[in-house]
Amino acid sequence: MVVDRAPAGTPEQRAAMRAAVQDALSGAVTTVDVAGRVVALVDGDESEVVATLRRRLGRLAPALARTRLLVGVSACGTDESVDGAVRSAAAAVAAARGDAGAVCVRAAELDSALGLFTAVPDQLRRAFAGRILGPVLEHDRRTDAGLLATLEAFLDCDGSWRRTADRLHVHLNTVRYRIGRVEALTGRDLGRIGDRLDVYLAVRALA
């Protein structure tokens, strides 16, 4: 297993949280990067590790005040998969930011295309996003047309023109025009599942 804890708070708070995570993992081999992030290799089933961390770290919640403890857990099968597992755990930490509570422990979601995509090296993900969305980003930079924001809302609204228009507070025809421009610039047809998945993953790679 790989456990990744997001840095937070003052150096003293980070040190206290680091000690708490190490204690909860009991015997894990742990390294700390320059940002204060804890990365630990531990033995055990992913669901058991998540349950243990939630139980043990949950006891700290009353003492955290306005500081949050976010932890991501990812499976790691071989030495070659460690880097990918760390990235997956980091993605789980990022996803945990939207959860409620002072202590949030999340397992990496490798049972979805997006979960698998998070295990791809950052450089490749950025290159993928640039290849697909580069023309859209450049168009927005030159014209401030809001194409990317409209695309993000459109995908989040499951391709519904009306819901996207309502969310952005614009006319329905404005959404249709902007999505049409996105399709023209990317060469992708958002009515096709494969093209929409490509664009969706590219958008998430920019997040």
Side-chain angles (χ1 to χ4, degrees):
M1 311 278 33
V2 170
V3 177
D4 192 8
R5 180 199 60 79
T10 65
E12 293 76 16
Q13 289 172 323
R14 290 199 298 269
M17 288 189 180
R18 179 159 56 249
V21 171
Q22 290 171 329
D23 181 63
L25 293 171
S26 60
V29 178
T30 305
T31 60
V32 183
D33 69 16
V34 294
R37 186 181 294 278
V38 172
V39 177
L41 300 181
V42 299
D43 292 325
D45 177 75
E46 183 178 13
S47 60
E48 292 177 358
V49 172
V50 170
T52 297
L53 288 172
R54 284 177 177 165
R55 183 176 65 256
R56 294 180 179 177
L57 295 178
R59 300 166 186 163
L60 300 175
L64 291 179
R66 285 176 288 183
T67 302
R68 301 185 71 207
L69 180 56
L70 310 178
V71 179
V73 179
S74 175
C76 177
T78 66
D79 289 342
E80 289 75 19
S81 67
V82 169
D83 287 344
V86 170
R87 285 188 293 272
S88 296
V93 170
R97 295 185 190 281
D99 294 343
V103 176
C104 301
V105 181
R106 269 216 183 202
E109 299 175 355
L110 292 180
D111 56 352
S112 67
L114 181 59
L116 182 62
F117 189 61
T118 62
V120 174
D122 290 345
Q123 184 177 0
L124 290 180
R125 286 191 288 119
R126 287 193 296 268
F128 175 81
R131 178 71 65 88
I132 292 178
L133 295 177
V136 174
L137 297 175
E138 176 60 20
H139 187 276
D140 272 354
R141 187 189 66 78
R142 289 188 290 101
T143 66
D144 195 25
L147 296 186
L148 182 62
T150 302
L151 174 61
E152 290 175 327
F154 180 74
L155 294 171
D156 194 44
C157 290
D158 300 320
S160 168
W161 305 102
R162 175 57 62 190
R163 286 167 54 200
T164 303
D166 290 344
R167 176 174 297 190
L168 297 177
H169 306 292
V170 298
H171 195 276
L172 184 65
N173 287 341
T174 300
V175 175
R176 292 185 183 276
Y177 171 77
R178 290 179 182 175
I179 295 303
R181 291 295 296 143
V182 169
E183 291 181 322
L185 289 167
T186 61
R188 282 350 195 245
D189 179 354
L190 294 180
R192 295 170 56 89
I193 185 63
D195 285 353
R196 187 181 292 190
L197 178 60
D198 286 345
V199 173
Y200 173 74
L201 292 176
V203 168
R204 292 302 299 265
L206 295 175

